[in-house]
């Protein structure tokens, strides 16, 4: 026996309107700005606040004995690509590379200063938590293998392609003394910073914690 068709010939107006609204929203989202790759998405602001509260607050250590060579980078990641080259491919648009994984074309949007870079030579790969900052926060007691992992970690938001000028302006500063000039990324920058310190059990100083709390307030 054939069952009667109980479905309407066309969807109700409420469903049609909802579909139209969603489509329009999606189109607006896709056209609102450049399609950008980014490091792995950090935990939410509420989770970041919880993680921040769990971190040890104490006076910052010294840079005595510190050297970037104690954080081996850039290591091979895949095929002929090292960590820097992997980030350049991930964070750029229209990136092409040669057999050595060196970029031959592409553009990079530096979220720190809202600037497009047209040549890979103008791009720096920033450690969200700088190597010297990590050293002063507990990495001085790590093994070389642990420091190598920290310096090349692509699974958390620790590495990002930005303009060389913004990276060098930041230097080894923590958020108490340097923040991206592009204030729209303060929320995610704080979440990234906290995620890295929480993942590696690094300490922070009081002024740094206050600055991060203020940045989370923009979320």
């Amino acid at each position: 026996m054939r069952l009667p068709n109980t479905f309407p010939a066309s969807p109700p107006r409420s469903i049609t309107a909802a579909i139209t609204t969603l489509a329009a929203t999606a189109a607006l989202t896709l056209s609102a700005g450049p399609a950008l790759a980014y490091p792995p998405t950090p935990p939410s602001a509420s989770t970041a606040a919880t993680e921040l509260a769990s971190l040890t607050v104490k006076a910052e250590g010294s840079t005595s004995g510190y050297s970037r060579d104690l954080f081996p980078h850039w290591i091979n990641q895949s095929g002929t690509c090292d960590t820097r080259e992997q980030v350049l491919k991930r964070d750029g648009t229209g990136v092409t590379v040669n057999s050595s994984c060196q970029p031959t074309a592409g553009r990079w949007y530096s979220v720190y200063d809202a600037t497009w870079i047209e040549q890979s030579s103008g791009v720096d790969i920033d450690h969200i938590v700088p190597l010297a900052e990590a050293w002063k926060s507990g990495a001085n007691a790590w093994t070389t293998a642990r420091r190598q992992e920290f310096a090349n970690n692509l699974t958390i938001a620790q590495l990002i392609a930005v303009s060389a000028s913004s990276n060098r302006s930041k230097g080894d500063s923590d958020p108490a003394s340097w923040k991206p000039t592009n204030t729209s990324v303060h929320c995610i920058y704080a979440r990234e910073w906290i995620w890295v310190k929480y993942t590696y059990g690094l300490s922070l100083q009081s002024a740094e914690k206050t600055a991060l709390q203020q940045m989370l307030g923009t979320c």
Side-chain angles (χ1 to χ4, degrees):
M1 179 178 68
R2 182 178 181 182
L3 296 175
N5 181 6
T6 58
F7 296 97
S10 59
R13 290 184 178 179
S14 59
I15 295 177
T16 301
I19 293 173
T20 301
T21 300
L22 286 172
T25 301
L28 178 61
T29 301
L30 292 172
S31 61
L36 304 174
Y38 208 72
T41 303
S44 66
S46 60
T47 298
T50 299
E51 292 177 349
L52 178 61
S54 74
L55 295 177
T56 299
V57 178
K58 66 179 185 180
E60 192 169 69
S62 75
T63 55
S64 177
Y66 167 73
S67 168
R68 287 179 65 86
D69 292 339
L70 295 173
F71 294 78
H73 63 290
W74 307 109
I75 64 171
N76 179 265
Q77 290 283 352
S78 176
T80 61
C81 300
D82 64 21
T83 306
R84 170 182 165 79
E85 291 157 348
Q86 284 289 90
V87 177
L88 286 172
K89 290 199 300 178
R90 183 196 68 190
D91 292 2
T93 59
V95 178
T96 58
V97 299
N98 60 23
S99 59
S100 299
C101 207
Q102 295 287 331
T104 55
R107 301 177 76 215
W108 292 265
Y109 184 76
S110 171
V111 297
Y112 285 179
D113 47 3
T115 301
W116 279 103
I117 303 104
E118 305 293 336
Q119 300 289 335
S120 63
S121 59
V123 179
D124 275 3
I125 307 304
D126 180 47
H127 289 93
I128 298 289
V129 173
L131 304 182
E133 167 66 23
W135 179 268
K136 295 182 291 184
S137 304
N140 61 313
W142 293 351
T143 63
T144 299
R146 181 71 163 166
R147 288 193 287 264
Q148 176 176 292
E149 176 198 312
F150 179 85
N152 297 276
N153 196 329
L154 296 173
T155 64
I156 60 174
Q158 165 63 341
L159 296 166
I160 184 172
V162 295
S163 67
S165 58
S166 66
N167 184 46
R168 292 163 199 183
S169 171
K170 172 183 174 180
D172 297 327
S173 301
D174 68 31
S177 53
W178 186 91
K179 301 176 182 67
T181 56
N182 179 11
T183 58
S184 70
V185 299
H186 282 188
C187 168
I188 194 168
Y189 184 77
R191 289 159 52 204
E192 291 167 338
W193 184 283
I194 294 165
W195 192 18
V196 175
K197 286 221 160 177
Y198 180 79
T199 299
Y200 284 92
L202 295 170
S203 63
L204 73 169
Q205 55 184 325
S206 180
E208 177 187 348
K209 182 175 183 178
T210 298
L212 289 165
Q213 289 171 327
Q214 292 171 344
M215 293 170 80
L216 286 179
T218 67
C219 295

